[in-house]
Amino acid sequence: MAFADNLPITESLGVFVGVTGLDWLTEGRAEPLNAALVALAAGTAIYVVRRWSRRRQKH
């Protein structure tokens, strides 16, 4: 598999849209920087868990 196949782009985009939408609904305005930071953190966590689980399955 290529490196790009392991990146959680779709999941990160979903987190970004969800956080932005929640901010917009609750506060009446969206904060894209905060949503991007949360999406980046979630994407990183998903990537790390995927890598860890694949390495664990190989052993």
Side-chain angles (χ1 to χ4, degrees):
M1 269 191 206
F3 176 72
D5 292 340
N6 295 328
L7 294 178
I9 296 171
T10 307
E11 293 89 343
S12 298
L13 184 60
V15 170
F16 175 79
V17 170
V19 170
T20 304
L22 184 65
D23 280 347
W24 190 16
L25 287 174
T26 58
E27 297 176 9
R29 60 185 168 81
E31 295 183 19
L33 181 61
N34 289 343
L37 292 175
V38 171
L40 181 64
T44 302
I46 292 168
Y47 177 76
V48 168
V49 168
R50 283 182 183 172
R51 293 280 294 190
W52 177 73
S53 67
R54 284 192 182 132
R55 284 189 179 181
R56 190 171 172 204
Q57 287 176 356
K58 287 181 181 179
H59 289 16

